[in-house]
Amino acid sequence: MARIKIAYLGGGSSRAPGTMASFMHHGAEFDGSEFVLIDLDPAHLEIVKSITEKMAGNAGLDITVTATTDQRAGLRDVDAVLSSFRPGGFAARAIDERIPLKHGVIGQETQGPGGMMMALRSVQVIKELCANLADVAPKARIFNYTNPVNIVSQAVADNTGIPIASFCEGPIVFPPVVAKAAGLDPDKLVANMAGVNHNCWSNEATYDGQDAFPILRERWEALRDRPTGDVNGMRALHLAVAMESIPSDYYNYYYFKDEILRERQLAPMTRSEVIMSSLDDYWAHYREQAGSDAPELDPARSRGGIHELELAIEAISAFYNDTGARLPFNIPNTGGALPGFDESTVVELWGTVDAKGFHPEPQKPLPRSVLGITRQLADYQILTAKAAWDGTVADAVRAMAANPLVPSLTVAEALYGELATAQAAWLPERLIP
């Protein structure tokens, strides 16, 4: 079993109790380890620390838990960093979502202008993390869940020698979205997903051992005119049939952008505003469980549920316990495992993880019908990583104009100016107009 020191950057976030519950669920794989919770909120840190210590004790685990608001001190001599935080909190995300709608552009957490602004904020913290690791934990690796995970990884890979891999359940959960919309058994739809994070496609897909697309096309024709409560899933099914590739359902923002923009503009609350309305209850529940002798998280009162960041936890275990687990991950395309993308581009694909590192499986090319937009998003990813790490306002505008959701340079300039001014508190001066 791995006996390591793990820093959790974001250890006081609303997802942290579920994440630490996940670690304790995997507790035997980390018995004897030390967890350092790092966050800006000392009260929330103490709640998460108490829940974790009690869960570990009840499970009979030899786990040490500490908490600190001092990032540099918390990182000293760590082996691994789990990164999952939200700079500016949900208030900044609400700005990401609201302001683009005024300019006729979809506002979203990881896609388009909103996702770019989150990247600019996230990379500032990651840059500080990298500088601290170089000084106090030079052998540490970063296991990243901070969004947008592809841009965060791209920035670190392009500018440091610190090993980083990023994670997202997307390649696992996207095919079932299409299968369920089609009224098919999700377990029988096997699709290999590859591309860039939140924007991957299948390069192979079968249903019950047969070519999936004739079956999906038949189901689409039978269902397309029927009322549905699963608009997102039906759009993804439509897209899969049209492109002959299973999509990440985030592609709905690009291929159905007019409909989704109208829906977002008419909605009384953005997604962030909905989440913020539940945060007080989440923390009330966490305080209750911290005061309990046997904490047990209620999925209905926990942000994201009770088993969070599972892929990163599985990857940490696979690396330090040398298991060779097969997982999806985001790493540079070294060796050209995914054809059609530069070797320096961070791509999302499947592979194995062991003590020697991350080993991507060789991939078939993406279908030509979807390669172009995916490469455009990869170029946008690289431009945004550059702007976030050490770029200027001009670099940021170029990155925003490169995103397919932004219709023109004039919109990119106006939108970036308003967003950056509204978020000046979380950005370096070089990125403020």
Side-chain angles (χ1 to χ4, degrees):
M1 71 189 70
R3 298 176 64 91
I4 57 177
K5 186 175 183 180
I6 306 171
Y8 179 8
L9 190 60
S13 69
S14 57
R15 288 191 184 275
T19 301
M20 295 312 296
S22 294
F23 266 117
M24 296 308 102
H25 179 72
H26 289 262
E29 300 162 39
F30 298 99
D31 209 22
S33 294
E34 177 182 353
F35 290 85
V36 185
L37 307 176
I38 304 173
D39 202 276
L40 299 176
D41 191 317
H44 287 176
L45 279 173
E46 285 306 311
I47 291 170
V48 180
K49 179 175 179 287
S50 178
I51 290 173
T52 306
E53 287 177 330
K54 290 176 179 180
M55 285 183 169
N58 292 336
L61 298 171
D62 175 20
I63 297 289
T64 301
V65 187
T66 59
T68 181
T69 58
D70 184 334
Q71 184 195 119
R72 187 179 179 88
L75 294 172
R76 187 170 297 279
D77 298 327
V78 299
D79 300 291
V81 178
L82 173 60
S83 168
S84 179
F85 58 86
R86 184 182 297 281
F90 288 101
R93 176 176 172 179
I95 295 171
D96 292 340
E97 294 168 340
R98 277 285 172 205
I99 289 179
L101 296 177
K102 293 167 51 181
H103 293 262
V105 179
I106 294 169
Q108 208 276 333
E109 180 185 17
T110 65
Q111 305 299 296
M116 177 179 155
M117 295 309 296
M118 184 169 187
L120 298 185
R121 300 192 303 273
S122 296
V123 169
Q124 299 317 300
V125 181
I126 289 289
K127 189 174 180 180
E128 177 189 5
L129 167 67
C130 291
N132 282 331
L133 286 178
D135 288 342
V136 303
K139 296 181 180 179
R141 306 179 70 94
I142 302 173
F143 297 79
N144 178 59
Y145 247 101
T146 296
N147 272 322
V149 303
N150 53 326
I151 300 173
V152 169
S153 266
Q154 189 75 57
V156 173
D158 284 349
N159 293 284
T160 80
I162 297 173
I164 183 171
S166 289
F167 304 92
C168 177
E169 287 81 2
I172 299 170
V173 303
F174 294 142
V177 170
V178 171
K180 290 174 183 176
L184 299 173
D185 183 350
D187 292 336
K188 293 182 179 180
L189 179 60
V190 179
N192 184 75
M193 308 293 290
V196 296
N197 177 247
H198 281 183
N199 295 122
C200 55
W201 299 89
S202 69
N203 50 14
E204 297 178 79
T206 60
Y207 184 78
D208 200 19
Q210 304 176 56
D211 180 0
F213 294 102
I215 298 167
L216 291 173
R217 187 174 299 107
E218 180 181 350
R219 295 303 300 153
W220 165 247
E221 293 298 335
L223 297 170
R224 60 186 298 178
D225 296 322
R226 296 185 187 179
T228 179
D230 182 15
V231 175
N232 180 69
M234 287 300 289
R235 285 171 175 159
L237 172 59
H238 185 184
L239 186 53
V241 170
M243 298 294 139
E244 290 201 331
S245 181
I246 306 295
S248 152
D249 58 2
Y250 285 85
Y251 272 115
N252 288 351
Y253 295 116
Y254 300 95
Y255 287 89
F256 302 97
K257 60 184 177 182
D258 293 337
E259 300 96 314
I260 293 175
L261 175 62
R262 287 194 295 271
E263 291 165 4
R264 295 292 173 91
Q265 288 173 326
L266 292 171
M269 301 174 72
T270 70
R271 175 60 181 159
S272 182
E273 290 163 353
V274 171
I275 294 170
M276 284 192 286
S277 69
S278 299
L279 282 178
D280 287 346
D281 185 59
Y282 293 154
W283 283 106
H285 175 57
Y286 299 153
R287 283 191 293 272
E288 291 167 3
Q289 296 310 305
S292 166
D293 291 335
E296 187 173 347
L297 300 181
D298 179 353
R301 298 184 66 195
S302 301
R303 167 77 177 126
I306 60 173
H307 288 293
E308 283 293 281
L309 311 195
E310 283 278 348
L311 269 182
I313 293 169
E314 290 175 8
I316 295 170
S317 178
F319 180 80
Y320 291 102
N321 289 308
D322 195 20
T323 68
R326 183 176 185 266
L327 302 168
F329 44 73
N330 293 260
I331 62 170
N333 193 34
T334 305
L338 182 59
F341 295 83
D342 294 342
E343 292 198 12
S344 61
T345 301
V346 170
V347 294
E348 184 167 66
L349 70 181
W350 285 82
T352 56
V353 185
D354 59 25
K356 294 181 180 178
F358 291 75
H359 313 288
E361 298 169 353
Q363 299 290 313
K364 293 182 178 179
L366 294 181
R368 190 170 295 278
S369 58
V370 302
L371 178 60
I373 191 170
T374 312
R375 290 183 61 168
Q376 183 179 356
L377 286 163
D379 288 339
Y380 151 78
Q381 166 184 306
I382 293 165
L383 288 167
T384 302
K386 161 62 178 172
W389 191 269
D390 60 8
T392 64
V393 169
D395 292 315
V397 170
R398 274 191 288 274
M400 186 165 287
N403 190 279
L405 287 181
V406 179
S408 69
L409 176 59
T410 52
V411 170
E413 290 172 335
L415 187 45
Y416 181 76
E418 187 170 352
L419 281 165
T421 299
Q423 300 192 6
W426 303 301
L427 297 176
E429 187 174 347
R430 59 185 167 80
L431 290 175
I432 301 171

